[in-house]
Amino acid sequence: MQLNGGSTGVRPGRLRRAPRRLTTIGLAGLLAASGALAVTAAPAVAGVTRYVLPTSVSYTDARQPALAFPTTAADVPVGTWEADGVKHTARAYFTFDLTPYRGKEVIVAQVVTGESSVADCTKPRELELWRTDTPAAAPTWNTAPAVREKVGDVGPTAPCPAGYLELGVTEVFRQAVADGRDSLTLMARIAGDHEDNKHFGRRMEKPGVSLEANAAPDVPGKLTVAGRACADGLLVGTTTPTLTAEVTDPDKLEPYAGDRVRATFAWWPVDRPAERTEWTSSAWYAPATIQYTVPGGLLVDGGTYAFTVRAADERAASGWSPECRFAVDTTRPPAPTVVSTDYPSDRSFPGHGGPGIAGDFTFTSAADDVAGFWYGRSGLTTYAAAGPGGTATVSYAPDGYGPDWLNVQAVDRAGNRSPQTRYEFWVRNTAPTVTDGNPDGWLGQPREFTFAPNMTDVVEYVWSLNDGTQRTVAADVAGTATATVTPTAVDNTLHVRSRTRDGVLSGDAGYTFSVRTAPFVTSEDWPFDGTPGAPAGTEGSFTFTPAMADVAEYVYAFGRGEERTVRAGADGSATVSYTPADAGYHTIEVFSRTSAGVESEPIGLAFYPASVAPTVASEAYPRNATGGGPGVPGTFTFAPHASVTGVTSYVYQFRGEPERTVAANPDGTASVEWTPSAYDNEYGGWVELRVRARTAAGVTTDAQYYSFRVDPQSPLVTSEVFGWQGGAVVGQTGDFVFTAQLPGTTEFVYSFDDGAEVTVAAGVFSGPAYYSIFIDPS
């Protein structure tokens, strides 16, 4: 939160409110909760309440005056009782440890006890507490400690017997702590002459003290300025630094937070201490790190300042912390210079060094207070401290070849960062050249690779296939070497690096290659280069040859058709026949399978059977045009493709009608007549005719598709009264004239907006129009 230009902060997880009330429970429960936390509910009262048990409990017996009776029992006798006809009189002593409360303020102290048995409840309770000296050992009746003062009467009016009794002992404990005593002993007895009367005797439960005390917070520590710990010569690069301090308080009980503590920050210019400014935070549960941000406009570049912090709870304050001094420096250093003899900045080809080869880079700043340099290729990720003269030399090894760079930024002792310098250079490609001696080798077949150097004085090569074992092969006098590699995967990367006599490794060649497993497919009838092949309807063949050993069969499919299997011959090849029904784009997909069931990669190829479809012509219904009309007959003439002879018939079909056959004339042509019965609204009048030719040899050609549009021959509608642009008025009557476009029209069918159809003989009639019109409301 921001207050008066400052801010406060606290560690996450510390803002828990501790329970602050001692619940009234049975004494047995309190005894079981030895040392349990109990705190007051009032938020304005600081302090932590503990239930304190005595460190020693004992009683004395007048009947046995030389004996001490230390006990750990839950209760002790007080007063007189009889046992086996013998009278006993007892006093009880309880000693409490005060050392945890040295230097603390006792706020409230209250003895809590109870009665486990009472001799006679008709008699008043005459139970008293007295402060005595603390005995060195459990006292006897004869060695009882000196009695100093009466503390009070315990529960004189409480019901009898009482499971819960209390007595305030604040002043007794407060004075004992103030006197610097380490312990306090309380004696319980029956008052006066009643001590010898057995009717007043009782057994008293071992008491505890609910004691609330408060210690002043600790002197704040761990002071920081702008995130920097206080130290001699501290510089910060901002005029609005955040000051922080850690506040703690001795009054803290886990797992709860301790007291609520405020921090007061005081700061001033070192040369003007009278200009002291103080700011106090809100309260936070200790421990906490509290912060204050100096408002803008108060600190200046070059100024030296000091601050100190003290903490306070609701009852006490700590001393001031040792002051922390800092100077403000907001001047940015200039951009650094970068030089390297290993990787000069000339960016000339083929470059210098190589991937993995480290080079030295020296950074220099002209600032006299430079502390170091941040640098990196992608982001400023690494820091190098500056040495004498404001320089630093770092080692950097490029990851790859080609253009590379380093971004460098100087930082001074105040944390101010300079503009970045981008140092660019070119890394030489040192990776060896790799040549595949058998690029068409099959899967599992050894192949020889040749390595040639791109560095001088190469003596060996280190290589591995994919993620396999790394191997080494010596280079010959020319620096070359060969290695035999047996790929067992389709896709492979051969990692090869050369090594010089001085042990310098080159970059990785990273040579990738794929091993073909898909079969080879050839056809003398249909090429795979996109040019048309044998005509549709012609039987042709495809031959499959292997790219794997032990191929037993091939699985193939044309288009998206059913997969078929063909056995391979002794040489691993197979041939299948195919007769395409249509011209144009066709596909074949094939993969091979070994006798062990291993399948190859598939291969898919496209081929194009040539078209030998017949031609179609019609005067009444020309191709891709509008003609004829409903009831208008048209003649369609079929003629064979120039390369097709012996045509005996044609199979044709108009869309929506059954397929029909017509015999061919001696010249191979044929004609059919077709009359549309209606205009096809679904297709906008368009009709598709499909025609195939059949020859005497039983060959059926691919289809010719002939499209045309039937003229709708819709009637014309006119009116002198009702025009498209309006003009008529409500209630006005007018005529519509229907003019037929279809020859032989005898009647018209029309409807109004209500949709009811009406039939009228051809002629002129009166009535509203069947189409939407605009009627002028005037």
Side-chain angles (χ1 to χ4, degrees), residues 478-503:
T480 64
T482 59
T484 300
V485 178
T486 303
T488 58
V490 172
D491 296 314
N492 302 272
T493 300
L494 184 61
H495 299 282
V496 186
R497 303 179 73 180
S498 63
R499 179 182 283 128
T500 68
R501 192 177 308 278
D502 296 332

Side-chain angles (χ1 to χ4, degrees), residues 78-99:
V78 180
T80 300
W81 78 97
E82 285 187 3
D84 299 327
V86 178
K87 185 178 179 181
H88 299 266
T89 301
R91 295 174 181 174
Y93 295 86
F94 313 100
T95 299
F96 296 89
D97 182 15
L98 299 183
T99 56

Side-chain angles (χ1 to χ4, degrees), residues 678-747:
Y679 178 80
D680 189 341
N681 283 298
E682 180 180 359
Y683 294 99
W686 284 96
V687 178
E688 184 179 81
L689 169 62
R690 186 181 67 180
V691 184
R692 297 176 185 269
R694 285 180 177 169
T695 68
V699 175
T700 300
T701 70
D702 57 305
Q704 178 68 261
Y705 293 90
Y706 184 88
S707 296
F708 58 93
R709 183 174 181 269
V710 176
D711 193 323
Q713 300 292 342
S714 304
L716 302 177
V717 180
T718 59
S719 175
E720 295 181 356
V721 176
F722 304 109
W724 288 105
Q725 303 300 320
V729 297
V730 176
Q732 185 175 357
T733 301
D735 294 332
F736 291 93
V737 177
F738 303 159
T739 303
Q741 300 296 309
L742 184 66
T745 297
T746 59
E747 61 185 16

Side-chain angles (χ1 to χ4, degrees), residues 36-121:
L37 173 66
V39 289
T40 62
V45 179
V48 174
T49 300
R50 293 178 181 269
Y51 187 71
V52 182
L53 293 176
T55 57
S56 67
V57 178
S58 66
Y59 66 90
T60 61
D61 185 356
R63 185 69 182 181
Q64 304 174 79
L67 295 179
F69 297 92
T71 181
T72 59
D75 58 5
V76 292
V78 180
T80 300
W81 78 97
E82 285 187 3
D84 299 327
V86 178
K87 185 178 179 181
H88 299 266
T89 301
R91 295 174 181 174
Y93 295 86
F94 313 100
T95 299
F96 296 89
D97 182 15
L98 299 183
T99 56
Y101 300 95
R102 290 173 182 166
K104 293 188 178 183
E105 175 192 3
V106 175
I107 301 170
V108 176
Q110 183 170 273
V111 168
V112 178
T113 184
E115 295 171 329
S116 58
S117 65
V118 177
D120 185 355
C121 276

Side-chain angles (χ1 to χ4, degrees), residues 250-344:
D251 301 322
K252 180 179 182 297
L253 290 176
E254 295 293 353
Y256 304 104
D259 276 350
R260 288 167 59 86
V261 180
R262 302 173 187 271
T264 298
F265 288 77
W267 68 271
W268 60 93
V270 169
D271 58 349
R272 300 187 302 280
E275 298 179 12
R276 180 185 178 103
T277 299
E278 292 190 4
W279 173 87
T280 300
S281 74
S282 56
W284 299 93
Y285 287 107
T289 297
I290 300 179
Q291 64 184 32
Y292 164 68
T293 299
V294 179
L298 300 180
L299 307 187
V300 297
D301 183 25
T304 301
Y305 304 88
F307 84 98
T308 182
V309 187
R310 75 174 177 182
D313 59 23
E314 296 296 337
R315 301 185 69 91
S318 73
W320 288 97
S321 70
E323 71 176 42
C324 174
R325 291 194 174 194
F326 62 94
V328 176
D329 174 9
T330 59
T331 302
R332 297 179 67 188
T337 59
V338 182
V339 295
S340 174
T341 57
D342 298 317
Y343 288 97

Side-chain angles (χ1 to χ4, degrees), residues 226-471:
R228 297 183 169 197
C230 283
D232 292 340
L234 177 61
L235 293 170
V236 296
T238 174
T239 57
T240 58
T242 296
L243 315 179
T244 72
E246 183 181 74
V247 294
T248 57
D249 192 291
D251 301 322
K252 180 179 182 297
L253 290 176
E254 295 293 353
Y256 304 104
D259 276 350
R260 288 167 59 86
V261 180
R262 302 173 187 271
T264 298
F265 288 77
W267 68 271
W268 60 93
V270 169
D271 58 349
R272 300 187 302 280
E275 298 179 12
R276 180 185 178 103
T277 299
E278 292 190 4
W279 173 87
T280 300
S281 74
S282 56
W284 299 93
Y285 287 107
T289 297
I290 300 179
Q291 64 184 32
Y292 164 68
T293 299
V294 179
L298 300 180
L299 307 187
V300 297
D301 183 25
T304 301
Y305 304 88
F307 84 98
T308 182
V309 187
R310 75 174 177 182
D313 59 23
E314 296 296 337
R315 301 185 69 91
S318 73
W320 288 97
S321 70
E323 71 176 42
C324 174
R325 291 194 174 194
F326 62 94
V328 176
D329 174 9
T330 59
T331 302
R332 297 179 67 188
T337 59
V338 182
V339 295
S340 174
T341 57
D342 298 317
Y343 288 97
S345 61
D346 55 14
R347 292 178 60 87
S348 60
F349 187 82
H352 304 272
I357 300 176
D360 286 340
F361 295 79
T362 299
F363 312 146
T364 304
S365 174
D368 58 6
D369 62 345
V370 65
F373 303 87
W374 285 98
Y375 69 96
R377 188 179 190 276
S378 300
L380 303 170
T381 57
T382 308
Y383 179 77
T391 66
T393 299
V394 302
S395 178
Y396 169 74
D399 291 333
Y401 65 89
D404 204 346
W405 57 88
L406 281 180
N407 295 313
V408 185
Q409 188 177 59
V411 58
D412 64 20
R413 290 188 293 113
N416 299 302
R417 294 197 178 196
S418 73
Q420 289 188 35
T421 296
R422 182 182 174 94
Y423 182 82
E424 298 182 348
F425 51 95
W426 195 276
V427 181
R428 185 165 60 93
N429 181 10
T430 59
T433 302
V434 178
T435 304
D436 189 347
N438 183 19
D440 295 327
W442 288 3
L443 194 68
Q445 285 185 341
R447 59 174 70 191
E448 190 176 82
F449 286 88
T450 301
F451 309 146
N454 280 319
M455 299 174 67
T456 59
D457 202 21
V458 169
V459 295
E460 65 180 9
Y461 294 87
V462 181
W463 66 273
S464 64
L465 181 62
N466 301 323
D467 297 322
T469 304
Q470 194 172 80
R471 294 177 170 84

